[in-house]
Amino acid sequence: MTGFALFWIGLMCQFTPFCGILGMIFPGLEFFQGFCFLFVVVGTFTLALSAFFLVVGLCWSCTRGYAALVFIVLGLLGDLVMFAGFWFIVGWWILSAAVLYIYFSWAPDNYSSPYLQDLGNFYKPSHDVNDWMDAAKRGGESFQAETVDLVKNIPGGKEAVEAGDKMFSSLSSSKEETKETASGAI
């Protein structure tokens, strides 16, 4: 969403100076006497939203085909209504909101179909430090397991991993013996 907002602001910054240029070229048109900025805002918002829909649709095309198709169709339709006028743009906004609500919220709750695909899980971040520590520990363990599997696939890697495990287990057992000896001496 932040990328969409920054893209929209960038488009507005690019197209707003055209109001002054068009006002100089066509001084008799009332359109450019105050409404140009409104049309720049509306047009850039529509252009940014349709580009956002296209990007999301292309990103989802490999994993959620039908949901991607919904986004791609809305994105292409948004690009086409840019040339049709203000009321078509407003109609596209209403149509897009309705289609997204029906497809992603209302229909999955009321129908069971393989063509309906939800938006997925949105996980809320925890503010508990222990949750963050557990997540970091699980991430480290998963990284270690994937690295070990990767090394095992290299020629001679399986033997190297076994030798490392043997050395690590002998080091950990000698540390435990040292602790037991030190605690017994006290």
Side-chain angles (χ1 to χ4, degrees):
M1 294 309 282
T2 305
F4 161 73
L6 291 175
F7 184 59
W8 178 39
I9 291 169
L11 285 175
M12 279 197 316
C13 291
Q14 288 177 348
F15 289 127
T16 301
F18 289 117
C19 287
I21 294 170
L22 291 174
M24 287 187 286
I25 295 172
F26 305 108
L29 292 178
E30 292 294 322
F31 172 80
F32 298 107
Q33 299 299 327
F35 291 107
C36 184
F37 184 73
L38 174 69
F39 280 93
V40 166
V41 170
V42 169
T44 56
F45 182 79
T46 304
L47 184 62
L49 192 59
S50 64
F52 178 73
F53 285 166
L54 281 171
V55 169
V56 170
L58 291 175
C59 289
W60 281 8
S61 65
C62 295
T63 58
R64 298 176 181 176
Y66 298 111
L69 186 63
V70 168
F71 275 115
I72 289 171
V73 167
L74 286 176
L76 291 174
L77 190 61
D79 286 340
L80 291 176
V81 300
M82 288 294 296
F83 301 106
F86 179 75
W87 294 112
F88 285 100
I89 290 173
V90 172
W92 178 78
W93 288 355
I94 295 168
L95 176 73
S96 296
V99 166
L100 293 176
Y101 173 76
I102 289 170
Y103 187 82
F104 290 111
S105 182
W106 181 79
D109 292 340
N110 295 316
Y111 297 103
S112 176
S113 171
Y115 301 112
L116 297 173
Q117 299 167 331
D118 63 355
L119 290 174
N121 295 330
F122 288 99
Y123 298 104
K124 294 181 181 177
S126 173
H127 299 290
D128 187 15
V129 175
N130 293 328
D131 291 341
W132 285 76
M133 295 298 291
D134 290 341
K137 182 180 176 185
R138 280 185 272 132
E141 290 170 352
S142 137
F143 177 74
Q144 178 186 7
E146 288 178 10
T147 305
V148 167
D149 288 342
L150 180 68
V151 170
K152 284 182 180 179
N153 290 328
I154 298 172
K158 185 175 181 180
E159 293 80 14
V161 169
E162 290 172 357
D165 288 341
K166 184 189 278 186
M167 185 175 70
F168 181 72
S169 64
S170 67
L171 285 176
S172 62
S173 64
S174 66
K175 284 183 183 180
E176 290 175 10
E177 290 174 2
T178 308
K179 286 181 184 178
E180 290 175 5
T181 308
S183 64
I186 297 178

